[in-house]
Amino acid sequence: IANRYMVVRGLKAALGERNAAALFACDDLDHALEWCEDQLLADLESAPDVESPLAVQVFCAGFEADELAVLDALVTRQSYAPGVRLCREGDAADTLFFIVRGEVSVRVPLAYQREGRLSTVGAGSAVGEMGMLDRGRRSADIVADTEVTCLVLDYHRLESAEGAAAASMRLKLVTNIARGLNRKLRQATLEIKLLRN
């Protein structure tokens, strides 16, 4: 960094010695940014511990009552303690995790037994959606950051559901997932452009 001494001095003054030491102990820029984000989130008033049912899930936007009922019959409720991996990179991608309560991080293994966080996902959102489209392998680990409750959708059960409401629900779910992945791709493209400049 140009003027490194001034930057370090300014950070120490703004953060205090203890916090500055924690920031400077980060292995790399990604971990330093994650530390900063965690500090900002800790300063916010914590959200009430309320569940986000299927009706308010991002991927269930536009669902009718009968479509929600079909989906609700297909999911199973699972709870995870902090630090538990919901799935690992390389696992079969055959489930979608609707986050009902808590937060998970999407992480990728890095060299020297380190890992990098790609994103943090909270209640009302879902993870594992890429597998619904390509049925490949998991591309990252999903780790519970807090106590987490999920509604887990097995893709085999989704495919076997019969009836007009099930067919309509599948179409809307895939459409919502495709829109979500499109937003992520646009964001990644923007970040790559910024990195190249």
Side-chain angles (χ1 to χ4, degrees), residues 79-123:
S79 294
Y80 304 91
V84 171
R85 294 195 185 307
L86 284 65
C87 61
R88 294 181 181 277
E89 178 184 32
D91 288 351
D94 54 6
T95 51
L96 176 67
F97 300 89
F98 291 100
I99 311 299
V100 174
R101 177 177 287 168
E103 276 186 351
V104 299
S105 284
V106 180
R107 298 184 171 273
V108 291
L110 301 174
Y112 308 110
Q113 298 181 350
R114 295 181 305 131
E115 61 181 12
R117 182 180 57 124
L118 298 178
S119 64
T120 297
V121 180

Side-chain angles (χ1 to χ4, degrees), residues 56-74:
V56 300
Q57 294 284 324
V58 172
F59 289 155
C60 297
F63 279 32
E64 300 295 333
D66 58 343
E67 297 162 344
L68 282 170
V70 170
L71 182 58
D72 189 51
L74 297 175

Side-chain angles (χ1 to χ4, degrees), residues 103-188:
E103 276 186 351
V104 299
S105 284
V106 180
R107 298 184 171 273
V108 291
L110 301 174
Y112 308 110
Q113 298 181 350
R114 295 181 305 131
E115 61 181 12
R117 182 180 57 124
L118 298 178
S119 64
T120 297
V121 180
S125 295
V127 290
E129 70 275 17
M130 284 175 37
M132 185 171 189
L133 301 179
D134 70 5
R135 302 301 162 92
R137 296 280 172 190
R138 297 284 183 205
S139 58
D141 295 352
I142 301 173
V143 183
D145 293 334
T146 63
E147 292 285 340
V148 172
T149 302
C150 296
L151 296 175
V152 182
L153 175 62
D154 181 285
Y155 294 145
H156 302 292
R157 292 190 72 196
L158 178 65
E159 286 179 345
S160 65
E162 297 179 355
S168 177
M169 179 269 298
R170 274 193 298 269
L171 177 61
K172 288 180 181 179
L173 183 61
V174 170
T175 300
N176 289 339
I177 287 172
R179 286 182 178 140
L181 290 172
N182 186 54
R183 281 190 296 274
K184 288 180 181 180
L185 182 57
R186 286 184 185 278
Q187 179 64 32

Side-chain angles (χ1 to χ4, degrees), residues 43-63:
D43 289 344
L44 296 175
E45 185 177 329
S46 62
D49 192 24
V50 177
E51 289 198 359
S52 296
L54 286 174
V56 300
Q57 294 284 324
V58 172
F59 289 155
C60 297
F63 279 32

